Amino acid sequence: MPLDERVGQLVLAAREAMTNAAKYAGVSEVSVYAEVTASEIEVFVRDRGAGFDRAAVPAGRRGIAESIEARLARAGGSASVWSETGSGTEVELRLPR
């Protein structure tokens, strides 16, 4: 599949998720899984680190909201972020083909 603008946005959102995990999870390993099917591209970024409470993230920190969720929405996809303090974080990115 060619790397067009939409797929490029998916790659950038995945990079942001990996960067966040590397900076804040406090673990030495982050798992990344990607799958391309006839109908969509999915990328999962997971860590078993510190996790966080989304409501406690300061308003000035916009990495998840802008660099992941909004970026995927503009490209026609979706992003979901699940995290729990002490239990790690999972980011799921989906982009229709």
Side-chain angles (χ1 to χ4, degrees), residues 15 23 36-37 48 81-83 94 96:
R15 180 181 73 179
K23 282 182 172 180
V36 179
T37 66
R48 291 192 165 98
V81 179
W82 296 277
S83 189
R94 293 179 179 269

Side-chain angles (χ1 to χ4, degrees), residues 29-64:
E29 184 177 305
V30 175
S31 298
V32 180
Y33 174 77
E35 184 171 335
V36 179
T37 66
S39 61
E40 73 179 348
I41 303 169
E42 298 173 291
V43 178
F44 301 89
V45 179
R46 297 179 182 125
D47 68 69
R48 291 192 165 98
F52 65 96
D53 175 0
R54 181 95 184 250
V57 174
R61 293 204 18 220
R62 307 285 302 154
I64 294 170

